[in-house]
Amino acid sequence: MARRGGSERRVLSSLDLLPEECQDDVVWALARLNERQRTQADILFELNDRLAVKGQGPISRSAFSRRSVRMSKRARQLEERSHLYAGIAEKLTPEEIGQADIVLGEFLKTLIDELLDHPQLTPKNAMELARAYQSIVAAQRTSVDRQEKSERATAAKLAKAVDEAVETVAKEKGMSAETVEAIKQKILGVRS
């Protein structure tokens, strides 16, 4: 990796340097790697064939392997994150969102502490981490607000449907207004 002016920049690989018309082939190869049904050598061979048809390539085994390793690492991180959040997802109820914010905040603080030990962390990186934290908390609150609004709308629709059904049956059966009111009270817990 090349260093310029205190910031680190990754050197572009032969995969990165392919023209736009070859990117669909790269995406195809990465998708095949992700499926884990064929060997990396087999996928690279076919990728190079596809690139040769377009007058490009070949991609070296080392460049393809480096990309494969990075992609595998990201896939593992996503899977681990998915398992981690699956365990806490059911606890993200409107009543517990404040506690969930605290837990997530502490988790992110720990992560930030670990990243602060990284020798190449810049003030800009730290600021981006802080913004990411704010975005996560805001997104959680927005999600909870939407869920609560949806639950209220569903409850209102259900109450209206029950109210209309009781009124219809009451008219058909010739029930008194007091009986209808008592039924609604029992079902809905409200007075009309």
Side-chain angles (χ1 to χ4, degrees), residues 3-187:
R3 270 185 118 21
R4 267 192 197 170
S7 66
E8 189 172 318
R9 198 181 95 204
R10 186 172 62 85
V11 176
L12 297 177
S13 74
S14 53
L15 280 165
D16 298 322
L17 296 173
L18 286 171
E20 187 64 35
E21 66 265 13
C22 297
Q23 293 307 310
D24 59 332
D25 297 308
V26 173
V27 169
W28 169 87
L30 296 176
R32 298 301 78 77
L33 282 171
N34 198 34
E35 290 172 352
R36 298 180 183 185
Q37 295 177 354
R38 297 171 59 186
T39 66
Q40 183 176 321
D42 183 39
I43 296 168
L44 176 59
F45 182 81
E46 191 171 340
L47 172 62
N48 280 331
D49 279 350
R50 292 170 73 138
L51 294 175
V53 169
K54 294 180 179 179
Q56 299 294 324
I59 301 301
S60 70
R61 189 170 43 108
S62 60
F64 194 66
S65 181
R66 283 191 299 273
R67 178 68 63 92
S68 172
V69 167
R70 280 198 315 269
M71 195 174 103
S72 176
K73 180 181 176 186
R74 283 190 194 118
R76 260 192 325 277
Q77 288 171 335
L78 287 172
E79 188 174 328
E80 288 171 1
R81 191 175 303 132
S82 173
H83 289 300
L84 172 71
Y85 291 129
I88 63 170
E90 66 226 21
K91 295 182 170 117
L92 296 178
T93 61
E95 302 80 35
E96 297 182 17
I97 194 67
Q99 292 174 347
D101 285 347
I102 293 168
V103 170
L104 181 60
E106 292 306 312
F107 174 75
L108 287 172
K109 286 178 191 174
T110 302
L111 178 62
I112 290 169
D113 286 343
E114 289 177 20
L115 290 173
L116 288 173
D117 291 337
H118 198 276
Q120 289 135 352
L121 182 73
T122 65
K124 181 181 177 187
N125 298 138
M127 186 173 62
E128 289 168 350
L129 289 169
R131 285 185 182 145
Y133 171 77
Q134 289 174 330
S135 295
I136 289 169
V137 171
Q140 284 180 323
R141 287 201 175 104
T142 299
S143 176
V144 167
D145 290 346
R146 282 189 191 136
Q147 183 178 352
E148 287 177 336
K149 185 177 179 180
S150 173
E151 287 172 359
R152 283 191 302 271
T154 301
K157 286 179 186 176
L158 179 61
K160 183 178 178 184
V162 168
D163 188 52
E164 290 171 356
V166 169
E167 289 288 339
T168 301
V169 171
K171 284 180 184 176
E172 289 175 4
K173 300 293 182 184
M175 295 180 180
S176 69
E178 294 82 28
T179 304
V180 171
E181 182 65 29
I183 292 171
K184 287 180 185 178
Q185 176 64 29
K186 288 275 189 192
I187 295 172

